[in-house]
Amino acid sequence: MLERIAEVGDVGIVRVTSEVLDASNVKQFKQEIQPFTARHSKMVLDLSAVTFLDSAGLGALLSCLRQVSSQGGDLKICSATKPVRALLQLVRMHKIVDILNTHEEAVRAFEV
Amino acid sequence: MTEGLSAGTIEATARPAGEGLTKIPPSVIAAVIALTVLPSLLTLVGVDFSLPVFDPTSLDAVPRDQVPDAVHRLLAGTLIHTILEWSAFCAAVFIAFLALMHFGISRDVTTPVIGLALFFAGMVDAFHILAADRLIEAVSDTSRFIPFTWAISRTFSAVIMITGVGLFLVRGPVMARSRLRTILLAVVAFGLLAYGATVWSASSPSLPVTVFPDRLVKRPYDLPALFLFLVAGLVYLRFHRARPSLFAHALVISVVPEVATQLHMVFWSGELFDNSFNIAHYLKVVAYLVPLVGLGMDYIWTYQNQARALSERDRALERLTVSEEKFSSLFQYSHDGILLYDRAGRLLDANQRALEQFGYTRPELQNLNLRDLHPETALAQYEWASTELADRGAVRFEIDFQKQNGDLFPAEVSANTLHIVGGEVVQSVIRDITERRKVETELRRAREHEIEIAGSIQDMFLRGIPPRNLVEFTIDYLADPSQRVDGDFVDFFTHREGCVDIVVGDVMGKGNAAALLGAATKSQFARALAALLVRTGPNLPEPEDIVNVVHDRLTGRLLALESFVTANYARFDVAERQLTFVDCGHPGILRYRALTGECTSLKGDNLPLGFLESHEYRQRTVAIEDDDLFVLYSDGLTEVRNAEGEMFGEQRLKEVVTSVGHKSPREVTQAVHRAAKSFAVAEHFDDDLTLVVARVGPSLVRQPLVQLTDQVPRDPSALSRIRALVADVVARAGPEWADVDYVTELQQAVQEAVTNIIHHAVGGDPSTPIEVVMNGFADEVSVLLFYEGKPFWPAVIEAPVVEDHPEGGFGLYIIEQLVHSARSFVADDGRSCTHLIKRWKR
């Protein structure tokens, strides 16, 4: 469900390939993101494919965030679809995680 | 009739001779004593009662033509002696005669027996004097014969009397036949013995000397008699004590002259016909006269009693005859039928009216039994009445009778047992109540008709019609009328979509007056609203303004009528989610919140209408939310009483509402009504029951346009199916503008709910599936998730602090944010249910 897109500098860009990130595949997500977070403390998650996110998915994102933070890094989200964006805004996640529109934006966001 | 209950039933009972007068009056006793002592006193003053003894030699000097005179003068002593003795004998005969007459009216055996004893004693005296006067053959010398036979007669007299009276004393006063016979035999025996002795001494040539003029005891052969008479005195006393009577007492008193007789003879009579001799003989007569007088007095007294009793009986008889005549006319001419019958039901008599009532003649009726007068259907009651009559002596009841021609008539019967001599008779007074029944039926019909009319009036003027098709407000209204017309009224004013005024009111009192006032008050509210609407234009007048107008118009009149009205004017502004109400002394509006399970009472603090002219009515506003359930009621509900006198009360109402508060208003009103009915002791409520239940929010009971159901397992694999369902239901039932975002939101909410169940539901079997029911309505979509386990929904869901990076805890918050209504409850089958509702709204 994850696919490595690119690495820009020390920022890793990972795309979630499944349409859904919810309780049914959260475990899988966490497993698959492991190596990625191990390698990059700066991560961009591309959620363009995800049309459905639930609280479990949120939790997964948060755990990812925690992980990279503990490494001194950060997480950024890009290309969130409308429902995902809505949910993220609902839970005010956008306050702690930047939500950008493109990869470039996301990467640039790290430089700031 | 009068012959049956004749006065012959009263018998005259004579009183025994012993009753009443049992002692000789003291004056008589004094007279006797005086008579006894008088001769002695006269002797003391020089009177001499002696008479010469016949001495033939004194005739020698008398010329021949004077001899008969001289002879008579010489015989004076004998003649006087004869007279005295014969008098005594006659007295004895009279006593015997009188005793028999006395027995004839007193039936007391003692009297004739003693009389007979006295008679035999007298007989001996007769023989004695007959012999002394040579009227019967006598050989012996007179001078010896007379004293000797005197002594015999005296002794035997005493013995006879002692025997005769004494034997009555043996073994108490009860008379046995054998004793009576014994006494009679003894007395007769002694009498005969005395006679025999006299005859023997008459024919015996040589008798002993019995007079010793020179001694102190001049006639020793009289001594035994003296003592015997004293003994007799004691016996008489005992006898008198045992059987008190005048006669007995007279016997006692007779001892005085008897003893005096003996004293004179024993100590003072030394010669034939001397002073003491004549006094003694005189005293003997007195001694006989005393019991004669006593017996005579007894007889007269008994006779007089008898006469008195007889005349009393006559008087009683007369009185009875008079009352019988009275009774007879009452009986015969009474307006009600009267029957007389015996215990077995045999008819003894009937009065004229009864004959008319039943159509029988008197002889026909007297051949019947009381039973025959009742139809089959009345027999059970007849039995009951007979038992009651036997137990209590009287009974009053209603029963049907049957005439001779078979017709029936209802009657009120009053039966009494009469106790008369000769047995018991039952008297039944029968009152035909056919007319009365007719009147009663008519009255009852009139009353029922009046109640019907009153019910129609109530329907027309006091009830209201709740608006049914409000989108976000569902109302149900229940009015259960009491037996009588009441003063409860209800009205609904629908202003616009989502704003409804509900008025409930209760007029003090019952009946038509209360109903009229209720109708008047209701119309006043409508008038006030209309009048104010004109003034306030597009805006609605405030409830308190409306109520104050009503108050201005009504309170004065209510005060004059000494009545008042409690009411609640409640405006439900569903659009603004506000409830504004004016509580005028009415029971509070109950609000139930399913989310929290709270049931509270919303109250104001205004007075009822009609209390105080100067009162200003104020409204109160509270916020209302979806799924709030409101209950407006009047005190007819809370004042329903059970068998113990307890009231249903607000607390119980709250409990009922809490238990069904999540259901539709119709279900709630029905549950409350059921609860009140099962609580109440009576069939009908005493007071009108008025109940208005309203729920804010989408109706729960509308038919969905689309319903999709599924059963999903309790694990994450179910989630995609659920999402598909949601998409489906929105596609089918949702409005055109329902876009993907909408679907997603709903999907997210439902998914969170399902995840919640999967991860957090406790108390159920996790292997059991979740039943999903999705209803697409015109205005919303409703998702029900049934599962086994405990429901839960926290009272407050706070947004989780995302900075804390919690991995969970977002779910409930998300749900709350994405749908309009979310709650959890227990379904009828025991499963828990999470219920989400999302309205179609842009």
Side-chain angles (χ1 to χ4, degrees):
Chain A
M1 66 183 286
L2 291 179
E3 143 189 305
R4 192 170 81 144
I5 306 278
E7 282 176 50
V8 179
D10 49 357
V11 177
I13 304 176
V14 178
R15 188 158 170 270
V16 178
T17 52
S18 63
E19 278 178 28
V20 166
L21 181 59
D22 66 35
S24 60
N25 55 7
V26 149
K27 227 170 170 175
Q28 192 189 350
F29 175 85
K30 282 183 187 172
Q31 278 171 350
E32 287 188 25
I33 200 79
Q34 265 290 82
F36 287 94
T37 55
R39 203 148 80 208
H40 304 284
S41 55
K42 295 179 185 177
M43 282 224 13
V44 172
L45 269 177
D46 181 346
L47 298 180
S48 55
V50 179
T51 53
F52 190 88
L53 187 73
D54 73 355
S55 62
L58 283 171
L61 293 177
L62 280 169
S63 85
C64 184
L65 173 64
R66 214 179 325 114
Q67 258 192 298
V68 297
S69 296
S70 66
Q71 288 168 218
D74 203 1
L75 177 70
K76 299 223 187 281
I77 290 171
C78 78
S79 314
T81 57
K82 196 149 150 227
V84 170
R85 199 190 285 272
L87 185 65
L88 291 172
Q89 276 174 350
L90 181 68
V91 299
R92 294 195 291 264
M93 193 129 151
H94 59 291
K95 300 238 161 120
I96 53 170
V97 174
D98 289 344
I99 302 168
L100 288 322
N101 292 327
T102 63
H103 297 170
E104 292 75 20
E105 281 175 23
V107 169
R108 220 178 304 134
F110 276 108
E111 287 156 14
V112 176
Chain B
M1 177 53 219
T2 45
E3 304 86 66
L5 284 183
S6 73
T9 53
I10 296 178
E11 279 177 18
T13 45
R15 272 169 267 201
E19 232 178 72
L21 216 53
T22 60
K23 287 221 162 118
I24 303 283
S27 50
V28 178
I29 301 176
V32 170
I33 296 173
L35 282 171
T36 309
V37 170
L38 184 66
S40 308
L41 288 175
L42 288 172
T43 308
L44 283 174
V45 298
V47 180
D48 187 8
F49 293 105
S50 65
L51 289 162
V53 179
F54 181 68
D55 180 13
T57 54
S58 57
L59 277 173
D60 296 342
V62 173
R64 204 161 197 126
D65 59 338
Q66 288 175 359
V67 164
D69 278 344
V71 168
H72 276 97
R73 273 196 296 273
L74 281 173
L75 285 175
T78 308
L79 292 170
I80 298 294
H81 181 224
T82 307
I83 290 169
L84 288 173
E85 290 281 15
W86 201 250
S87 304
F89 171 67
C90 290
V93 169
F94 275 126
I95 287 174
F97 191 59
L98 202 59
L100 285 170
M101 280 174 67
H102 187 277
F103 176 71
I105 57 168
S106 76
R107 290 271 174 263
D108 186 2
V109 200
T110 56
T111 317
V113 169
I114 296 168
L116 212 60
L118 280 165
F119 170 73
F120 274 109
M123 280 284 286
V124 177
D125 292 330
F127 285 122
H128 155 77
I129 199 59
L130 287 174
D133 286 352
R134 292 284 186 274
L135 290 169
I136 56 175
E137 237 1 271
V139 179
S140 50
D141 173 21
T142 311
S143 60
R144 286 197 188 176
F145 175 76
I146 292 174
F148 186 73
T149 54
W150 161 270
I152 291 170
S153 79
R154 294 303 290 158
T155 313
F156 271 99
S157 283
V159 168
I160 288 168
M161 288 309 293
I162 290 170
T163 311
V165 175
L167 281 178
F168 275 110
L169 294 175
V170 172
R171 244 185 292 129
V174 179
M175 264 316 278
R177 248 210 198 129
S178 55
R179 190 213 307 249
L180 183 58
R181 218 183 309 143
T182 314
I183 291 173
L184 283 170
L185 277 171
V187 166
V188 170
F190 278 116
L192 290 173
L193 205 61
Y195 166 72
T198 310
V199 167
W200 173 79
S201 44
S203 52
S204 161
S206 59
L207 293 170
V209 178
T210 56
V211 186
F212 302 93
D214 304 315
R215 297 196 204 160
L216 174 67
V217 178
K218 296 180 170 61
R219 295 178 190 252
Y221 283 79
D222 273 289
L223 265 176
L226 173 66
F227 292 117
L228 283 170
F229 276 116
L230 285 168
V231 168
L234 293 170
V235 173
Y236 294 157
L237 267 173
R238 283 282 298 279
F239 179 72
H240 174 69
R241 213 173 298 142
R243 288 157 162 269
S245 72
L246 280 172
F247 181 47
H249 201 228
L251 280 175
V252 175
I253 294 163
S254 72
V255 173
V256 172
E258 293 276 31
V259 168
T261 305
Q262 292 310 106
L263 285 173
H264 276 284
M265 291 301 271
V266 168
F267 295 109
W268 295 302
S269 173
E271 233 178 69
L272 266 184
F273 314 134
D274 68 1
N275 187 47
S276 285
F277 183 93
N278 292 327
I279 291 173
H281 281 71
Y282 151 77
L283 286 173
K284 194 165 90 164
V285 179
V286 172
Y288 274 108
L289 286 177
V290 170
L292 177 62
V293 165
L295 189 56
M297 283 172 76
D298 209 324
Y299 176 80
I300 290 168
W301 190 82
T302 306
Y303 182 79
Q304 275 179 347
N305 276 349
Q306 178 80 315
R308 205 180 308 132
L310 277 171
S311 77
E312 264 181 30
R313 195 183 82 160
D314 283 338
R315 275 199 293 270
L317 189 60
E318 201 187 306
R319 279 197 295 270
L320 188 68
T321 311
V322 168
S323 80
E324 260 193 53
E325 276 171 16
K326 252 194 250 171
F327 170 75
S328 181
S329 21
L330 279 174
F331 179 76
Q332 280 305 329
Y333 303 116
S334 165
H335 181 69
D336 296 325
I338 305 180
L339 294 177
L340 288 165
Y341 51 93
D342 65 13
R343 270 311 186 81
R346 278 189 294 265
L347 289 161
L348 302 173
D349 207 348
N351 72 346
Q352 191 57 36
R353 181 90 183 95
L355 297 177
E356 288 165 17
Q357 278 176 340
F358 288 102
Y360 289 106
T361 61
R362 188 168 282 123
E364 281 173 356
L365 202 64
Q366 280 168 329
N367 268 331
L368 294 176
N369 190 291
L370 189 62
R371 241 205 161 85
D372 303 329
L373 296 174
H374 293 289
E376 287 274 316
T377 51
L379 283 179
Q381 198 164 5
Y382 168 78
E383 293 301 334
W384 170 85
S386 301
T387 318
E388 276 293 296
L389 184 66
D391 289 342
R392 292 180 208 265
V395 64
R396 187 188 219 113
F397 59 105
E398 286 183 16
I399 195 170
D400 285 339
F401 281 102
Q402 189 162 47
K403 298 189 191 199
Q404 198 249 7
N405 61 5
D407 288 347
L408 299 183
F409 69 92
E412 184 185 69
V413 176
S414 175
N416 265 296
T417 314
L418 304 174
H419 298 274
I420 57 167
V421 181
E424 277 178 358
V425 154
V426 183
Q427 171 190 282
S428 267
V429 179
I430 299 167
R431 178 163 293 175
D432 190 329
I433 55 171
T434 315
E435 274 308 306
R436 192 169 90 184
R437 285 267 170 89
K438 258 194 230 149
V439 171
E440 280 172 6
T441 313
E442 274 173 28
L443 211 71
R444 190 175 43 244
R445 282 219 201 97
R447 213 179 291 133
E448 282 167 10
H449 190 56
E450 199 186 300
I451 289 176
E452 268 174 47
I453 293 178
S456 311
I457 292 175
Q458 208 173 18
D459 267 334
M460 263 183 260
F461 297 112
L462 296 173
R463 304 261 173 85
I465 301 170
R468 289 266 177 223
N469 291 313
L470 301 173
V471 170
E472 305 222 297
F473 200 55
T474 318
I475 304 176
D476 195 56
Y477 164 45
L478 179 108
D480 189 343
S482 56
Q483 281 283 55
R484 293 155 294 189
V485 182
D486 212 312
D488 278 13
F489 62 88
V490 171
D491 215 348
F492 302 90
F493 306 117
T494 310
H495 297 297
R496 54 166 194 273
E497 184 71 28
C499 188
V500 176
D501 289 353
I502 303 179
V503 191
V504 295
D506 188 0
V507 176
M508 177 200 91
K510 298 189 199 318
N512 286 325
L516 283 170
L517 266 177
T521 310
K522 185 167 141 155
S523 81
Q524 285 297 337
F525 276 105
R527 280 186 67 176
L529 177 63
L532 287 173
L533 272 171
V534 170
R535 264 185 259 156
T536 60
N539 300 323
L540 287 174
E542 291 299 316
E544 68 190 2
D545 296 333
I546 299 170
V547 174
N548 277 315
V549 168
V550 174
H551 163 70
D552 288 337
R553 290 222 188 103
L554 217 50
T555 290
R557 290 187 215 169
L558 285 171
L559 282 168
L561 291 167
E562 290 184 14
S563 188
F564 62 89
V565 181
T566 65
N568 217 323
Y569 192 103
R571 173 168 295 164
F572 289 88
D573 192 339
V574 183
E576 300 302 314
R577 288 292 191 271
Q578 235 177 32
L579 162 63
T580 307
F581 67 97
V582 184
D583 171 7
C584 312
H586 204 73
I589 302 175
L590 290 187
R591 171 169 65 184
Y592 172 74
R593 290 219 152 123
L595 241 55
T596 57
E598 284 170 45
C599 187
T600 49
S601 177
L602 303 168
K603 281 280 300 168
D605 55 9
N606 298 297
L607 295 174
L609 295 163
F611 258 45
L612 209 58
E613 289 259 28
S614 57
H615 195 69
E616 275 270 323
Y617 286 84
R618 294 204 199 293
Q619 65 197 24
R620 214 187 121 188
T621 305
V622 299
I624 60 178
E625 290 167 21
D626 281 9
D627 288 329
D628 276 356
L629 186 90
F630 295 94
V631 181
L632 294 95
Y633 63 97
S634 60
D635 61 15
L637 170 60
T638 42
E639 286 178 4
V640 169
R641 283 186 194 271
N642 68 357
E644 283 87 43
E646 267 184 274
M647 292 208 284
F648 191 74
E650 194 185 76
Q651 187 52 41
R652 218 170 253 122
L653 176 61
K654 281 183 173 173
E655 286 166 16
V656 176
V657 169
T658 307
S659 71
V660 295
H662 56 277
K663 299 193 177 173
S664 70
R666 166 55 56 96
E667 287 168 285
V668 173
T669 48
Q670 283 178 347
V672 170
H673 193 214
R674 245 194 324 268
K677 268 202 157 135
S678 64
F679 182 83
V681 62
E683 265 287 305
H684 291 276
F685 297 118
D686 213 30
D687 219 340
D688 277 3
L689 208 93
T690 297
L691 199 56
V692 177
V693 177
R695 163 177 243 104
V696 179
S699 167
L700 297 173
V701 199
R702 292 161 303 142
Q703 284 299 103
L705 303 167
V706 166
Q707 185 176 79
L708 301 176
T709 60
D710 200 1
Q711 297 227 340
V712 299
R714 277 202 218 191
D715 73 347
S717 66
L719 296 172
S720 55
R721 265 162 80 181
I722 296 223
R723 284 199 296 275
L725 269 175
V726 171
D728 200 359
V729 82
V730 173
R732 295 218 247 158
E736 286 170 43
W737 53 259
D739 54 7
V740 156
D741 292 336
Y742 182 93
V743 173
T744 310
E745 282 175 10
L746 185 57
Q747 282 172 334
Q748 277 168 328
V750 177
Q751 188 153 313
E752 292 303 333
V754 173
T755 311
N756 219 28
I757 292 167
I758 292 169
H759 291 301
H760 300 297
V762 296
D765 184 1
S767 63
T768 53
I770 299 172
E771 187 186 333
V772 183
V773 178
M774 294 196 192
N775 291 319
F777 291 93
D779 55 349
E780 68 195 19
V781 62
S782 146
V783 177
L784 294 145
L785 303 166
F786 294 96
Y787 61 96
E788 289 201 6
K790 288 209 178 76
F792 77 99
W793 207 268
V796 175
I797 295 166
E798 280 168 4
V801 181
V802 78
E803 282 81 358
D804 296 340
H805 306 170
E807 281 204 42
F810 291 110
L812 295 178
Y813 179 72
I814 288 170
I815 295 169
E816 253 210 354
Q817 296 299 310
L818 293 179
V819 297
H820 292 95
S821 166
R823 64 195 176 100
S824 165
F825 62 92
V826 178
D828 290 1
D829 59 354
R831 291 185 300 175
S832 292
C833 179
T834 302
H835 186 198
L836 310 176
I837 300 176
K838 188 172 172 68
R839 290 197 204 94
W840 311 125
K841 250 188 176 174
R842 275 187 202 275

